[in-house]
Amino acid sequence: MSNSVISVISRFLEEYTTKTSNKLKVVDAYLFYILLTGALQFLYCLLVGTFPFNSFLAGFISCVGAFILGVCLRIQINPDNKGDFLTISQERAFADFLLAHTVLHLVVINFIG
Amino acid sequence: MCNGCVFCLVLLTVALGAQALTPSHHLSLSDVDRLKGLLSQPFTDLASAYYSIVGLSKLGASVDACQFLKAQLDPMSVDSLFFAAEASQAIADCEMPVFNETRDILLAAVSEDSTVTQIFRAVSALSSLGLPLASQEVVAALVARIAKEDNVLAITTALQTATRLSQQAELGGILEEIEDLAARLDDLGGVYLQFEEGLEATALFVTAAYTLSDHADTEPPLKEDQVIQLVNSVFSKKSWDSRSEAFSVACAAAALSSNRFHVPVIVSTQGPATVSHSQPILHLLVTDILSNPLASANLLVESAQAVASKSVVLSQAPFSLRNGIFELNFMASQPASGYYQFTVAVTGDSRLVANQVELKVKVSTEVAVTNMDLSVVDKDQSIGTKTSRVDYPFKAKGSFTADSHQNFAMNFQLVDANTGVELTPHQTFVRFHNQKTGQEVVFVAEPDSKNLYKFELDTAERKSEFDSMSGTYVLHLIVGDATLENPILWNVADVVLKFLDEEAPAAIQSKTLYMPKPDIQHLFREPEKKPPTVVSNTFTALVLSPFLLLLILWFKLGANISNFSLSPSSVLFHVGHACMLGLMYVYWTHLNMFQTLKYLAIIGSLTFLAGNRMLAQKAVKRYGQSSTLTFFTRSTCEN
């Protein structure tokens, strides 16, 4: 059982490192960073408590929102998905990413207190 | 005056309702003196001289300032001529010099082009100086001016002007203005009637209306209630702001006390309206509004009704006049003590207004306590009662003892000292006072159906009022009433009360009720518990550490900015984007949402335009590259 899991994981990692383009890996690194930040915030909340609750929510939602927008960007600039996004060029995807982030930051800063 | 028509008038007034309005304000003698004092202040110009001299003459005083008037006169000015001429009329043997030009100047002022005030002053000066004038022309000018100047003061001045014209002139149109003006008066609560322009305008209107009515021999179209309301408005103010205001009040007072149609009468008591056996006579004063006694008046009590029992004690009794004061011996009708509602009527002059007045008269008497019996009664009535009689104002010889098995009882009667009739005054209290502890307990003694007062103290039942403090209590009887001339505070006896279950610190209780209570300290909301700074700092560092990891990963992946084109739009885009992120930080520290949105709109639109251009250039470059690549691929393939 564990054998198959390990083999699946190692196969996945091998395919990932060879098949994915550099551009996507850059975005993936960014996504990983966001994920870690969010997880650490959640860990703090579990351990120490939710004292400035609004600040915790602001930070956590910022991570979650950024992650989602990053995932959207990744989907839209992946050349394999070009067929699904005929009207959206890579530049357009990036511009949408920036605009959505502006709105997200506005909301987060408003809530951070 | 025919008694028949007077009687009819009285009946009519009664029939119209006993609730007729009576004046609530008039000028008492001290008010008249104060008015004269204000008018007697020294004057330095002709206008003040006019107000003072004419005003004082209306009140019956005279000022000799003839030389002053002659010195100050300016024969070229209509106003100056008016003031001097009018004032000189009020002084005996004072004549103003008349020049040739005087008549021309004054006549020139009488035209449709001058204001009503100018016309009035010219006409008055002409008539005071004895110069001829054409009344019909004046009437025409006045009618024309009234149509143009439709305010209260102008029309009042026009009315005043008409009083100086010949009686043959057609004054009918101007007389009608009195009624129109009266319709403009404001009714305040049914008590006051005045112009919104103020006291002076109302007083001048009253003067003008009555002077003109006398001159034209026509009754003014004012109803009795309106006249009384006007009296209330004009005479409610007892200190006047200016000489002209005092002058207007003096003129109104003179007009209302001596015109041919309506004379308001004031009926007032001399001193408090109280009669008793020692002072059996009720004194009333009947005056006009200047507090001058009315010469030909007769006073009659229409009815005197007891307030409590509503029985009529006196009816149709005349007052007798002695030294200007009306007197009636009310005690001769032997009224019981209490309050009586008098309705009096003033007769003798058909001009009298508000001549039916209601007064409240008090009859007071002296009280005597009789048959005061004190006794200590056993509760089970087994042992006979010990009754002692005490006479006022002496104190009972021995003290009375009552313990929890006994009741202390008191019986007495209150009678009118003069007539022997039983009384029930408002206040009959029995007071126990403990000399040692300072306690005071007061009970009410109540009369039974035969007007016999009984008071019984049940020692066991009432111990809470006494706080169960046994001891000697001094007993007082307190009797009082508004109609009693001799209220009673009588130390009747000493009573020793014995209570069971004595509780010691009883006396202090009442004292602590009024001492300051203990302070309440305000507890502010406690701030929430925060984790120690070390913990939060550690976690801050921890949360920021993935950024380092990101930079390392990007470096390893070979992400670089070698493709960075230094075109102006891309520089602008990056600068704008950095500004937006900086704005976020400033928003967190300083700004509010509205300000942020404002700045964001500016920076954002710039960034958007720059970014759009930059990305378009990039796209072109990318498509250009890929198309060149295709071209090369095709070309090599073709080869």
Side-chain angles (χ1 to χ4, degrees):
Chain A
M1 199 57 188
S2 55
N3 244 359
S4 56
V5 173
I6 291 173
S7 65
V8 165
I9 291 173
S10 60
R11 179 82 198 283
F12 166 71
L13 283 175
E14 201 188 302
E15 287 240 12
Y16 178 76
T17 40
T18 47
K19 294 275 179 61
T20 37
S21 68
N22 240 7
K23 211 192 291 189
L24 291 178
K25 279 191 190 158
V26 165
V27 178
D28 285 339
Y30 168 74
L31 290 175
F32 182 61
Y33 151 67
I34 295 284
L35 185 74
L36 270 185
T37 314
L40 283 169
Q41 284 187 358
F42 192 65
L43 183 71
Y44 170 84
C45 180
L46 282 179
L47 288 179
V48 186
T50 64
F51 164 52
F53 193 54
N54 57 316
S55 312
F56 160 70
L57 280 181
F60 195 67
I61 284 172
S62 160
C63 291
V64 168
F67 188 83
I68 292 170
L69 291 173
V71 166
C72 287
L73 179 69
R74 191 188 191 279
I75 291 175
Q76 284 178 349
I77 64 173
N78 196 348
D80 293 334
N81 295 337
K82 207 158 170 197
D84 295 326
F85 299 106
L86 281 172
T87 54
I88 300 176
S89 65
Q90 300 204 351
E91 285 73 24
R92 171 70 195 276
F94 184 63
D96 286 345
F97 173 77
L98 285 182
L99 179 68
H101 257 289
T102 309
V103 175
L104 178 69
H105 284 154
L106 206 62
V107 170
V108 163
I109 299 286
N110 187 29
F111 203 54
I112 205 163
Chain B
M1 293 280 128
C2 65
N3 283 331
C5 60
V6 158
F7 186 66
C8 285
L9 189 70
V10 167
L11 260 186
L12 191 66
T13 326
V14 173
L16 282 174
Q19 296 299 319
L21 202 58
T22 50
S24 43
H25 301 282
H26 67 286
L27 291 178
S28 67
L29 290 169
S30 55
D31 294 330
V32 174
D33 286 336
R34 205 178 311 122
L35 191 58
K36 283 186 189 167
L38 176 55
L39 289 170
S40 306
Q41 279 174 353
F43 39 78
T44 48
D45 64 333
L46 264 184
S48 317
Y50 161 70
Y51 289 130
S52 292
I53 296 172
V54 179
L56 284 170
S57 77
K58 301 267 180 181
L59 295 174
S62 66
V63 180
D64 187 14
C66 205
Q67 291 306 111
F68 176 82
L69 292 174
K70 284 187 184 148
Q72 293 278 330
L73 173 65
D74 169 17
M76 296 296 130
S77 144
V78 173
D79 292 333
S80 175
L81 283 166
F82 162 72
F83 290 133
E86 290 292 294
S88 69
Q89 284 289 93
I91 304 174
D93 300 326
C94 185
E95 290 228 9
M96 287 291 118
V98 179
F99 301 101
N100 289 338
E101 304 82 23
T102 314
R103 182 164 171 250
D104 298 326
I105 294 167
L106 290 174
L107 281 174
V110 179
S111 82
E112 275 181 33
D113 302 317
S114 329
T115 62
V116 180
T117 316
Q118 289 281 69
I119 299 176
F120 165 63
R121 289 184 177 180
V123 167
S124 307
L126 281 168
S127 89
S128 297
L129 292 172
L131 297 170
L133 76 131
S135 294
Q136 209 49 45
E137 271 177 40
V138 176
V139 171
L142 282 179
V143 169
R145 285 315 297 181
I146 287 174
K148 283 188 209 156
E149 288 178 68
D150 194 27
N151 60 69
V152 165
L153 276 173
I155 303 181
T156 310
T157 316
L159 293 174
Q160 277 284 26
T161 320
T163 64
R164 301 311 194 92
L165 303 175
S166 138
Q167 284 171 328
Q168 274 73 44
E170 280 183 33
L171 301 174
I174 299 186
L175 269 174
E176 280 169 13
E177 294 294 334
I178 301 181
E179 197 165 355
D180 292 340
L181 264 191
R184 288 202 212 182
L185 289 160
D186 294 326
D187 187 326
L188 301 175
V191 178
Y192 298 98
L193 204 60
Q194 61 190 50
F195 286 116
E196 65 177 12
E197 284 83 355
L199 171 64
E200 212 174 314
T202 316
L204 289 174
F205 164 68
V206 169
T207 317
Y210 280 99
T211 321
L212 184 58
S213 302
D214 276 354
H215 184 72
D217 206 12
T218 332
E219 189 173 345
L222 296 169
K223 300 195 216 47
E224 196 176 303
D225 278 353
Q226 284 180 310
V227 177
I228 302 302
Q229 287 173 326
L230 283 168
V231 164
N232 287 341
S233 299
V234 173
F235 301 114
S236 61
K237 193 171 177 190
K238 304 295 187 173
S239 74
W240 303 274
D241 299 325
S242 64
R243 217 183 283 250
S244 58
E245 197 177 46
F247 165 75
S248 66
V249 171
C251 289
L256 281 171
S257 47
S258 59
N259 68 79
R260 298 218 296 268
F261 299 100
H262 300 146
V263 174
V265 63
I266 313 283
V267 176
S268 51
T269 54
Q270 199 188 36
T274 311
V275 292
S276 63
H277 279 275
S278 47
Q279 288 170 308
I281 300 181
L282 182 65
H283 299 277
L284 289 182
L285 288 171
V286 177
T287 63
D288 63 12
I289 42 172
L290 275 173
S291 298
N292 295 325
L294 287 178
S296 61
N298 290 321
L299 199 60
L300 177 79
V301 177
E302 289 192 354
S303 79
Q305 196 184 46
V307 171
S309 60
K310 304 250 183 282
S311 60
V312 176
V313 173
L314 198 60
S315 164
Q316 304 296 326
F319 278 73
S320 50
L321 179 62
R322 199 160 70 92
N323 295 340
I325 303 175
F326 286 91
E327 298 181 342
L328 176 76
N329 187 339
F330 188 44
M331 291 310 282
S333 338
Q334 290 171 339
S337 67
Y339 287 94
Y340 290 84
Q341 188 78 356
F342 270 56
T343 311
V344 295
V346 185
T347 57
D349 193 336
S350 63
R351 298 176 301 164
L352 295 178
V353 171
N355 51 357
Q356 214 193 25
V357 181
E358 305 229 338
L359 290 173
K360 208 162 189 178
V361 177
K362 178 168 86 167
V363 176
S364 44
T365 184
E366 288 169 10
V367 70
V369 185
T370 58
N371 304 338
M372 167 67 87
D373 290 325
L374 302 172
S375 54
V376 178
V377 183
D378 232 41
K379 277 201 193 152
D380 49 8
Q381 301 284 330
S382 57
I383 307 171
T385 67
K386 185 185 80 160
T387 313
S388 316
R389 166 143 305 188
V390 192
D391 291 320
Y392 179 73
F394 305 105
K395 189 168 166 174
K397 289 199 184 60
S399 67
F400 295 80
T401 309
D403 60 20
S404 52
H405 302 295
Q406 293 158 328
N407 290 344
F408 174 75
M410 206 161 91
N411 295 322
F412 57 94
Q413 262 189 311
L414 296 173
V415 293
D416 188 331
N418 300 307
T419 60
V421 172
E422 282 140 4
L423 292 177
T424 51
H426 282 157
Q427 298 164 342
T428 45
F429 299 130
V430 177
R431 175 176 175 253
F432 289 87
H433 180 57
N434 188 331
Q435 305 276 33
K436 267 183 264 173
T437 63
Q439 275 171 290
E440 189 184 61
V441 187
V442 182
F443 298 99
V444 178
E446 268 160 34
D448 62 11
S449 53
K450 297 198 204 80
N451 284 342
L452 198 71
Y453 276 87
K454 265 197 176 65
F455 169 69
E456 207 164 306
L457 177 68
D458 186 340
T459 342
E461 206 182 312
R462 295 281 182 202
K463 68 174 185 211
S464 58
E465 263 122 355
F466 287 90
D467 289 331
S468 301
M469 287 291 285
S470 306
T472 310
Y473 287 81
V474 178
L475 181 67
H476 278 94
L477 176 70
I478 303 172
V479 178
D481 191 275
T483 57
L484 291 181
E485 289 192 332
N486 62 333
I488 290 178
L489 176 67
W490 178 20
N491 183 356
V492 184
D494 287 333
V495 180
V496 180
L497 295 174
K498 287 204 179 80
F499 297 100
L500 303 168
D501 323 321
E502 187 168 326
E503 287 148 19
I508 313 164
Q509 251 178 19
S510 60
K511 289 211 178 110
T512 56
L513 198 60
Y514 300 106
M515 288 288 119
K517 292 212 162 57
D519 258 0
I520 303 173
Q521 294 294 347
H522 180 73
L523 283 173
F524 284 99
R525 190 178 141 200
E526 313 219 351
E528 288 192 36
K529 285 176 89 172
K530 284 194 258 201
T533 332
V534 177
V535 176
S536 11
N537 284 347
T538 317
F539 269 97
T540 312
L542 209 61
V543 163
L544 292 173
S545 59
F547 188 64
L548 288 166
L549 181 67
L550 177 69
L551 290 175
I552 294 168
L553 277 174
W554 273 354
F555 181 68
K556 273 188 74 181
L557 283 170
N560 51 36
I561 52 170
S562 57
N563 234 358
F564 188 74
S565 58
L566 273 158
S567 63
S569 48
S570 81
V571 169
L572 191 62
F573 166 74
H574 282 101
V575 165
H577 193 230
C579 281
M580 271 163 61
L581 292 174
L583 179 67
M584 289 295 134
Y585 174 73
V586 176
Y587 173 31
W588 182 35
T589 48
H590 293 122
L591 306 172
N592 61 36
M593 180 63 103
F594 299 106
Q595 292 165 315
T596 314
L597 284 178
K598 186 173 66 173
Y599 294 133
L600 193 66
I602 301 167
I603 302 174
S605 48
L606 282 171
T607 313
F608 172 74
L609 289 168
N612 198 12
R613 206 181 153 90
M614 180 194 80
L615 286 174
Q617 285 171 353
K618 271 220 154 31
V620 163
K621 211 183 340 180
R622 191 161 58 86
Y623 281 126
Q625 270 179 353
S626 66
S627 66
T628 329
L629 200 63
T630 338
F631 177 69
F632 273 129
T633 323
R634 267 213 207 114
S635 58
T636 47
C637 277
E638 274 169 16
N639 277 349

